[in-house]
Amino acid sequence: MAMRIAVIGAGVAAPPHLRSLHDLRGQAEVAWAWGRDLQRLAAAGLPAGTRTTTRLDDVLEDASVTAALVLTPPHTHLEIVERLAAAGKHVLVEKPVDTTLARAEALVAACARHGVRLAVMLQHRASPAALQLAALVRGGSLGQLLGASATVRWWRPQSYYDVPGRGTLARDGGGVLMTQAIHTLDLLLHLVGAPQRVLGLATTSPVHSMETEDRAAALLHWGNGAIGVLDATTAAYPGYPERIALDFTQGTATLEAGALVVERPGQDTLRVGQPQASGSGANLMGFDHAGHRVVIADFLAAIAEQRAPLTDGASALAVQRLIEAVLRSSREGVAVTL
């Protein structure tokens, strides 16, 4: 029997979620959709039979609703999720968890306190290439980590930041790190863990008029001596595929646009996946929804199996700690210990 769920918010983040729910219609039934504008909800392409409302209480009071997808702007997440968790609804929330680490930690704590599952839409973890690389790293066949780099050279035109709230601390919590590079950084940490020290720089280039950073770079230092670099921007026209490169004592691994290449001495090259568009250019929604579908399917399974989801909320705090460390290091001009 399909699990009855609610969709909270139907803005720019909704299309890949709704396409995924269409594919998973045998597993999930969209019972409710909540938003501030009924006309916008009507135009969102919701499944037939979905009830729409501007009253969140309608969702909270429906005992048949097991879970909710929260797709609203980041600064609204904590208050909405606290109410859903208190009503016993499991939650999948769009990234980032919230605008600051403190608010994100409070959101994770609320779900733990009420005993509900929490997943975050960090779909880069769910690609076949990422899953294969994670298995190789954890299996130990690549040896010890020596170095790592994460590169996100994307493009956004000024019109993107002219939308009210975009690129602001109040609504988004940050710029390129929190809104675009967060996926690649989360995957890096998911694969090799968090660095111990960070030395970062962040700035707003002459290309954009915005409150937060559109360029950031950092040196990363892991506890075992491994050294890494971060390079992230939305000012690299026309936008290029994101890339993670990892050097180990027994080989190297490169993930670019969702395709994996592993090179090891004396062994054939391992290739997994094909390069995929990821919204690196002006068409920010120009990507396939397969990763969203895997994360949502895993979230539904985690509820049924009473286990942590692949993109568990507590694990998603690591990338927000890293982002805050890079920005603090830039402000204060010092290395920051995590």
Side-chain angles (χ1 to χ4, degrees), residues 230-255:
L230 156 67
D231 176 21
T233 185
T234 53
Y237 180 84
Y240 299 89
E242 67 278 6
R243 188 173 190 267
I244 291 175
L246 304 176
D247 301 330
F248 296 90
T249 52
Q250 301 298 320
T252 62
T254 305
L255 263 173

Side-chain angles (χ1 to χ4, degrees), residues 117-120 125 295 298-299 302-303 307-313 315:
R117 305 293 170 190
L118 173 64
V120 184
R125 296 190 197 181
V295 170
D298 175 77
F299 170 60
I303 295 169
R307 61 167 174 83
L310 170 66
T311 57
D312 173 59
S315 71

Side-chain angles (χ1 to χ4, degrees), residues 34-242:
W34 173 90
R36 301 189 188 280
D37 185 335
L38 287 177
Q39 289 186 329
R40 188 173 188 179
L41 286 175
L46 296 165
T50 301
R51 300 175 68 182
T52 59
T53 183
T54 58
R55 290 183 70 252
L56 188 59
D57 285 343
D58 288 334
V59 175
L60 303 176
E61 293 167 2
D62 188 340
S64 73
V65 172
T66 299
L69 274 56
V70 176
L71 314 181
T72 55
H75 72 291
T76 67
H77 289 175
L78 175 58
E79 288 75 19
I80 290 173
V81 172
E82 282 181 328
R83 294 185 67 191
L84 288 164
K89 315 298 186 189
H90 303 283
V91 178
L92 187 153
V93 66
E94 250 298 341
K95 61 78 187 169
V97 178
D98 206 290
T99 53
T100 69
L101 178 59
R103 284 177 60 84
E105 289 175 335
L107 188 154
V108 171
C111 290
R113 186 166 61 251
H114 292 291
V116 299
R117 305 293 170 190
L118 173 64
V120 184
M121 186 48 75
L122 292 164
Q123 69 271 15
H124 280 32
R125 296 190 197 181
S127 74
L131 292 170
Q132 178 70 58
L133 180 52
L136 285 173
V137 172
R138 288 178 184 128
S141 64
L142 293 172
Q144 179 181 325
L145 179 70
L146 301 174
S149 67
T151 306
V152 184
R153 298 180 62 239
W154 283 15
W155 167 255
R156 291 291 185 264
Q158 179 58 40
S159 58
Y160 172 81
Y161 293 110
D162 289 339
V163 173
R166 283 261 177 86
T168 66
L169 290 172
R171 195 196 78 159
D172 287 350
V176 61
L177 291 176
M178 191 74 94
T179 306
Q180 284 83 28
I182 188 170
H183 286 292
T184 302
L185 296 179
D186 172 75
L187 180 54
L188 175 68
L189 302 187
H190 180 64
L191 292 169
V192 298
Q196 189 177 75
R197 290 193 302 153
V198 174
L199 182 61
L201 290 171
T203 188
T204 307
S205 77
V207 172
H208 295 128
S209 176
M210 57 187 289
E211 179 186 6
T212 54
E213 84 289 348
D214 69 352
R215 295 199 69 91
L219 294 176
L220 312 174
H221 183 212
W222 277 264
N224 72 342
I227 296 173
V229 294
L230 156 67
D231 176 21
T233 185
T234 53
Y237 180 84
Y240 299 89
E242 67 278 6

